[in-house]
Amino acid sequence: MKKILLCFMLIGIMVFSFAACSDEAVDGNQNENGQNGGQQDEVEEETNYEFEHNGALIAVNMEASEVLPKLGEERSYFEAPSCAFDGIDKIYSYGSFEVHTYPSGDTDYVSAIILKDDSVVTSEGVYIGDTKDKVLGTYGEDYQNMDGAFVYEQGEGKLQFIFVDDIVAAIEYIATESK
Amino acid sequence: MKKFFSITLTFVIAFGGLGLGQRILMPKYTTGIVEGALIEEYYHEKAPHDVIIIGDCEVYENISPITLWEEYGITSFIRGSAQQLIWQSYYLLEETLKYEKPEVVIFSVLAMKYDQPQNEAYNRMTLDGMRPSVQKFKSIRASMLPEEDMISYVFPILRYHSRWSELNSEDFAEAFKRQRRFHNGYYMRADIKPVETIPEGRVLANYDFGENAYKYLDMMVELCKENDIELLLIKAPSLYPFWYDQWEDQMVEYAKKHDIEYINFLELIEETGIDFSVDTYDAGLHLNVTGAEKLSMYLGSFIKDNYRLKDWRSDGDLAEIWQEKCEFYHGMKALQYEELEKYGYLKSIKGE
């Protein structure tokens, strides 16, 4: 009889141990975009690359409500719900560049800034149509080569240059971490 | 003998308790993100299918098996799930072949854009719904991100144990018997949100599909050949995510090289009759029910013409099974239109 009671106690402890530690796992229903927001404590304070337009500074992971009013009215707007998750990714197009946002809780944050033509320039002075050498001269050699694209990581995002025939064809600021 | 009985009883209670706990704790995807319940519904099917459709939301939101049945007598099932990666599609197909042998398999090629595992939450929506099998094990192994563990897929209680504080009545009610929500794998939406603008595709550093993606496509081709199954590759008429010309060229070339049919429905908008001012519920990403029915009309006709499938509508047993499916389908459709009329949105989808 004692053995049976002991076994039941062990089972009880086992079940309780599963139930008690509530901070580790995340409900698949609630994991919006599958992004893990639990790693912010590990983020070192490092400035994100910034893009400037008409005096407004934009960086990834800024609150959209803080950024968008400074940019004026967008030329077009697109909502892109994910296949399954709640929340909507939004794309605000300003002709020469786009601002992409992602939702986290009730707030939208900037997920990407995509430069579309040579009428806009990075804060460090590189624009579409520049040479690979100019990118190297401006941003240095500390990049990752991703399928021929130069990727400079800094803070919570990366600045990516895509080349066609050694000429910059696309410039993208992309968040690598999320709120 | 008494000791043996005690130990056995203890183990039965222990594993039974854990099994019960696991069933209760696993997400049921009853409202909101209902797509997580798609994969599991296949196991309740009572009759085999001539056509199996595999892929991501570009199949389970765009093709109506009920229309294929009603218009052409084609029996079909969509084994689709959100952001289903190509290795997941492959192993789902391999698993499906344990249960039945279809005449035709249709695969949505948008998945070719992903060459590596992407996202745990999406993985879960495909893998957790699969029954234990070698295929499930292989699919998990191919899908896991570095930070994931195989053990938490084999014993999902390890992943979901913290849900105990969020459990609701549906977690208990659906622990053993799941409510049917889909129509042979089709996720119905009757609402309309017309296309206004579609963003241009971003410049990519590399437009080539990855080696891993091609590896599984090759395996799929081989698997179909071994089983004497016709493989049909499709690109759904979804306007976003952007489908690049370079991707199209690769698919056309691949299909030609392997003597497989490939249909890009983006090039057949006029022929299918899809009108993006009324046939989409999210501005061009997915079709709504009227769009899915139009696409299915065209697809059904193509299948009939090219694969000479039997029209099963005169088969008494099958007709009875499908009659019930059709009633469920048209009932849900009518309910959704009623909700749209009354509330202006789909109340049942939001779980209100």
Side-chain angles (χ1 to χ4, degrees), chain A residues 84, chain B residues 28-38 125 181-182 187 349:
Chain B
K28 309 299 182 299
Y29 303 103
T30 52
T31 54
I33 309 162
V34 295
E35 292 92 331
L38 275 162
M125 287 201 283
R181 292 182 172 78
F182 308 104
Y187 173 41
I349 296 286

Side-chain angles (χ1 to χ4, degrees), chain A residues 8-85:
Chain A
F8 275 115
M9 278 172 67
L10 283 171
I11 291 165
I13 290 166
M14 213 159 73
V15 171
F16 181 75
S17 67
F18 274 127
C21 45
S22 60
D23 295 331
E24 290 172 15
V26 181
D27 175 8
N29 267 328
Q30 294 186 338
N31 191 356
E32 287 183 358
N33 293 332
Q35 290 159 334
N36 183 357
Q39 297 176 354
Q40 289 174 49
D41 295 343
E42 297 167 17
V43 175
E44 287 178 26
E45 288 293 328
E46 193 182 12
T47 319
N48 294 328
Y49 283 110
E50 289 178 321
F51 168 65
E52 187 180 348
H53 181 71
N54 290 343
L57 287 172
I58 319 166
V60 295
N61 279 341
M62 284 177 75
E63 286 191 22
S65 59
E66 190 185 327
V67 172
L68 298 174
K70 296 176 187 169
L71 300 177
E73 192 174 349
E74 69 275 3
R75 275 199 201 168
S76 64
Y77 167 71
F78 182 72
E79 291 183 345
S82 62
C83 268
F85 290 106

